[in-house]
Structure formats: structure tokens, C-alpha cells
Amino acid sequence: IIARWIPVTLGRTIAALLLGGALGLSLAWKTPQRGAPALRAFLVCLQSVPGFCFLLLLLWGSSRLLGATPLSQPELYEFWTVAAAAAYPMGTLGLFILERTGLEGSPPRHVDFMRLLHLPRTFIRTILFRETLVGSVPILLNSLAPALTSVTLAEWLFGLDGFGLIFIRSCELGDQSVVIGGTLILAACLLIAISVPLRRRRRDRR
């Protein structure tokens, strides 16, 4: 059971990480400086609101406003699963890029040197953006555990085929083999999420 359904759940989790990372990266880089405060508030909301709140809102809105239930429109809820899980990595990575590429506050010392050379503002941000990409990888990997938790909960809430549905039902029925195996896999993801930030400072040039 674990070997069959874990790849499905992990596939949705990886898709959520890639989607959230791409959106957070694009928004933080493309948004002009005057729109940075509004974007920062939006990204903080994505990062701080629990994933099950997004799932409940999506379930309510789709069923009440669109008349689409998980049984009638499973493809829609498949997309909602990935979208809700992508909220946390999008907020986390977007805030990281936004803070590191901003020229206000306390930028690194070489920014002052580039300002003395009267380099264009866009050119300075491009250099900062390239330097920040190295530190973005650990940030994205650190979002693995929240994204996996959101996908697991969404599979159970929407009734989608995946390890999340099997795992929660096994917890209710007392299937120890699936519960212990799933717990070990989730614990391994949590260990990855804890160990990655410890190495981030070594890769972050700033």
C-alpha cells in the first residue's frame, strides 16, 4: 500500500513545491519597489495561514458557488490540492527573495560600492537576485514538510486517491503497519526540513 500510494502523494507535493517556488520567485522579482509592501503583506498571509483553512475555503467555495463536489469534479479538487499546498512555499520563498533583493534597509556592503559607481538600480537588483538564488534552494526544501502535510490532509478531505487518505483511514482503523510506515516517512521529511536550514548559511553568500 505504501509503495503504491506514496509516489502519488509525493508527486503532488513536488508539484506544489515547484508551483509555489516559481510563483514566489516571479512575484518577488517582477513586482516594482512601490508595490513591495502590499506584496509582502500578501506573502505573509500565505505563509502564516494554516493549510487546512485554504482547503476548507476552497471546498466551501467550489461546492456552494460552483456546485462542484469532489465526486463530480475530481480534476478541480486535484488542482486545489496542489494550489493549497503551494501557498506556504510561495510565501516563504517570495519573502526571502523580496527581503534579499530590496535596496532599502540594510543591504550588503557591496551594494554601497555599486551605488558609488552609479550603477543602474535594475543592474544592482539583478546581481542580488543571482546571489540569492543559491540560498533559495534550502528555503524551498524547507517547505517540504508543510506542503506534504497540506497534501495529506487534502487527499483525506477531498477523498482523492493517495497515501493521505489511506494513512488517515489506517489511523482510524488501527492498521499499525501503515501507520508506523507512514509516520516514519513523515518523520524523515521533518528531519530534512530541520537539517536544511542549518546548512543554508554556508551556501548563502550574503
Side-chain angles (χ1 to χ4, degrees):
I1 294 176
I2 295 177
R4 179 181 179 182
W5 294 114
I6 275 291
V8 177
T9 301
L10 290 181
R12 291 173 178 145
T13 304
I14 294 174
L17 289 177
L18 295 178
L19 176 63
L23 291 177
L25 198 68
S26 301
L27 284 177
W29 174 244
K30 297 296 184 179
T31 301
Q33 200 67 32
R34 61 179 179 274
L39 177 61
R40 185 177 291 105
F42 173 69
L43 294 175
V44 168
C45 291
L46 291 181
Q47 185 187 31
S48 57
V49 175
F52 69 87
C53 294
F54 289 118
L55 295 174
L56 292 177
L57 288 175
L58 291 173
L59 178 61
W60 177 83
S62 300
S63 59
R64 293 295 297 272
L65 301 179
L66 302 178
T69 63
L71 292 178
S72 63
Q73 296 290 337
E75 297 83 5
L76 176 62
Y77 285 89
E78 184 83 28
F79 174 76
W80 287 149
T81 299
V82 176
Y88 183 86
M90 177 181 173
T92 303
L93 186 59
L95 286 174
F96 177 74
I97 298 294
L98 197 63
E99 294 297 330
R100 292 304 177 95
T101 57
L103 301 181
E104 285 72 21
S106 56
R109 295 180 179 178
H110 60 285
V111 172
D112 295 333
F113 177 74
M114 288 186 286
R115 284 173 173 172
L116 290 175
L117 297 177
H118 300 288
L119 296 178
R121 187 185 184 91
T122 306
F123 182 77
I124 298 177
R125 287 199 66 206
T126 302
I127 294 178
L128 294 177
F129 180 76
R130 292 176 180 176
E131 295 175 351
T132 308
L133 286 179
V134 179
S136 300
V137 177
I139 292 291
L140 191 61
L141 293 178
N142 194 30
S143 303
L144 175 62
L148 180 59
T149 303
S150 180
V151 169
T152 302
L153 183 60
E155 289 176 347
W156 170 75
L157 184 63
F158 299 152
L160 300 175
D161 292 332
F163 182 72
L165 181 62
I166 303 298
F167 179 74
I168 295 180
R169 285 181 178 177
S170 298
C171 293
E172 296 174 350
L173 298 175
D175 190 344
Q176 296 296 326
S177 59
V178 177
V179 172
I180 294 175
T183 303
L184 290 176
I185 294 175
L186 294 177
C189 294
L190 290 176
L191 289 177
I192 294 175
I194 293 174
S195 61
V196 166
L198 298 178
R199 301 181 180 180
R200 188 181 64 184
R201 294 183 179 180
R202 299 181 181 179
R203 294 180 175 271
D204 193 353
R205 298 177 182 177
R206 186 171 175 183

